[in-house]
Amino acid sequence: MKTYECVIIGAGVAGMTAAIYLKRAGISVLLLEKGVPGGQINKTSIIENYPGFKKIDGPTLAMNMLDQVQSLDIPYQYGNVLSIEVDGDHKIIKTDMETIMTSRIILASGRKPRELGLSNEKKLLGSGISYCAYCDGMLYKNQDVVVIGGGNSALEEALYLADICKTVYIVHRRLEYRADDILVKKIEKYDNIKPCLGQNVIEILEKDNRVSGVRLSDNSILPVTGVFIYIGQIPETSFIEDLITLKDGYVMTNEHLETNIPGIYACGDVIKKELYQISTAIGEGALAGTNVVKSLK
Ligand code: NAP
């Protein structure tokens, strides 16, 4: 069985940062990831509030970080964690590929997009439904699309789509956005962005197994070919819900970023906290990594 001093679950920005701190301190560390390195930032088209880069797209920032991880020879591998068993300092991680032994774990599994919950949403994924404007936007060049949501993600991705698509409707359930003022002001300058505030999407219309429109709560129809859903995110904690203390699905930590289980730490979007940003995730990755080093030495 492979054995490490610390295993990091999730290679998003928090997990990669923790790995860099651990490796530089001489700790044997493994980074496990079930998706792509960088996690959710791969779905972000424009980042303008991460100091050091006036403007950078998410995938480029993720690749820069992975490059740094790889330059340090940090072991990085695929693994979908199914369970964690704890016997004091011995922790057994079972993935869909193998069993791994470690004495410390850092949970950095992040979040995934929240779904609307409409009946044909899953079926039409990839046939008009998307959770990633940056990945799929070009498929809707010169077409009419709708972005659902009123947070920073919805507005940023609506701005990205507005340069590609003919019309970008924004459907938000309240009359005010929940986004930074700078984004709201930018949205107002685009003639082809059409807000539909105080509305919900109640039905996704389809023709020949592709999206053909959406019906709003006032019964009006937007004739769109693409639906981009940005209604928030939910934490990836199903594999630890019997072990770790959670609140609203998020991991609870103390000021050292340690969970209720000694030797298991957490950082990034998976923890319960006030601010979900790249900069905070990186700070927490550094802190969790440093505290694991302290606990091992
Ligand atoms: P969010 O801030 O939680 O916003 C989610 C939006 O979806 C809200 O407007 C919410 O409406 C709406 N919503 C939630 N459930 C819904 C439902 N069932 N039906 C219809 N609408 C629904 O999510 P986010 O935009 O993904 O951002 C997540 C976090 O990352 C936030 O903390 C955000 O600030 C941060 N972030 C920051 C940046 C940046 O700094 N540039 C960029 C992206 C994300 P209500 O407003 O009515 O609740």
Side-chain angles (χ1 to χ4, degrees), residues 49 150 152-153 156 172-174 178 231-233 276-277:
N49 60 357
N152 279 324
S153 300
E156 278 180 353
H172 176 38
R173 64 185 178 183
R174 284 188 302 125
R178 182 207 280 268
I231 58 165
Q233 294 161 31
Y276 293 86
Q277 294 279 307

Side-chain angles (χ1 to χ4, degrees), residues 44 46-49 111 114-116 148-154 156 171-174 176-178 180 183 199-201 230-233 269 274-277:
T44 307
I46 317 154
I47 298 160
E48 292 179 319
N49 60 357
R111 302 192 286 183
R114 177 180 288 128
E115 296 176 3
L116 270 177
I148 306 173
N152 279 324
S153 300
E156 278 180 353
V171 174
H172 176 38
R173 64 185 178 183
R174 284 188 302 125
E176 281 179 10
Y177 296 115
R178 182 207 280 268
D180 294 347
L183 291 173
Q199 298 271 9
N200 274 303
V201 168
Y230 283 101
I231 58 165
Q233 294 161 31
D269 278 11
E274 194 179 334
L275 187 61
Y276 293 86
Q277 294 279 307

Side-chain angles (χ1 to χ4, degrees), residues 33 50 56 68 79 107 111 139 226 246 253 278:
E33 170 62 55
Y50 180 56
I56 188 165
Q68 192 170 352
L107 303 168
R111 302 192 286 183
L139 299 172
L246 306 176
T253 56
I278 296 168

Side-chain angles (χ1 to χ4, degrees), residues 95-280:
T95 77
D96 54 347
M97 306 293 285
E98 61 189 325
T99 300
I100 302 163
M101 172 96 88
T102 185
S103 68
R104 301 288 183 275
I105 293 173
I106 296 180
L107 303 168
S109 45
R111 302 192 286 183
K112 59 182 176 184
R114 177 180 288 128
E115 296 176 3
L116 270 177
L118 293 174
S119 59
N120 50 357
E121 183 176 354
K122 278 196 171 68
K123 185 187 99 176
L124 293 173
L125 183 61
S127 301
I129 301 267
S130 172
Y131 300 90
C132 179
Y134 194 61
C135 320
D136 301 329
M138 283 311 280
L139 299 172
Y140 301 89
K141 197 168 184 332
N142 298 326
Q143 298 178 37
D144 297 332
V145 300
V146 61
V147 171
I148 306 173
N152 279 324
S153 300
L155 267 58
E156 278 180 353
E157 302 315 313
L159 286 165
Y160 173 74
L161 290 167
D163 288 331
I164 300 170
C165 303
K166 193 164 111 204
T167 311
V168 179
Y169 298 97
I170 300 178
V171 174
H172 176 38
R173 64 185 178 183
R174 284 188 302 125
L175 295 176
E176 281 179 10
Y177 296 115
R178 182 207 280 268
D180 294 347
D181 197 46
I182 190 166
L183 291 173
V184 177
K185 290 208 165 84
K186 273 190 192 172
I187 288 281
E188 288 164 0
K189 288 192 184 135
Y190 275 75
D191 289 339
N192 68 334
I193 297 183
K194 305 212 179 295
C196 306
L197 301 179
Q199 298 271 9
N200 274 303
V201 168
I202 56 168
E203 187 183 356
I204 300 166
L205 308 171
E206 56 176 287
K207 193 177 174 203
D208 300 331
N209 289 320
R210 285 204 65 86
V211 167
S212 60
V214 294
R215 188 186 302 279
L216 304 187
S217 35
D218 67 358
N219 223 21
S220 61
I221 287 174
L222 302 178
V224 293
T225 49
V227 178
F228 291 87
I229 301 170
Y230 283 101
I231 58 165
Q233 294 161 31
I234 52 172
E236 292 264 20
T237 48
S238 56
F239 64 102
I240 42 166
E241 59 194 8
D242 296 333
L243 179 70
I244 300 290
T245 303
L246 306 176
K247 189 169 182 209
D248 305 326
Y250 288 86
V251 174
M252 297 299 289
T253 56
N254 63 19
E255 71 269 32
H256 306 295
L257 295 180
E258 196 167 21
T259 68
N260 58 305
I261 305 290
I264 302 187
Y265 296 73
C267 56
D269 278 11
V270 78
I271 66 172
K272 186 83 181 161
K273 59 178 178 172
E274 194 179 334
L275 187 61
Y276 293 86
Q277 294 279 307
I278 296 168
S279 48
T280 53

Side-chain angles (χ1 to χ4, degrees), residues 24-62:
R24 285 170 57 84
I27 304 298
S28 69
V29 56
L30 171 69
L31 252 179
L32 274 179
E33 170 62 55
K34 69 173 180 177
V36 287
Q40 289 293 300
I41 64 164
N42 284 296
K43 296 181 177 165
T44 307
S45 54
I46 317 154
I47 298 160
E48 292 179 319
N49 60 357
Y50 180 56
F53 297 91
K54 273 188 215 148
K55 198 177 215 174
I56 188 165
D57 63 86
T60 302
L61 186 58

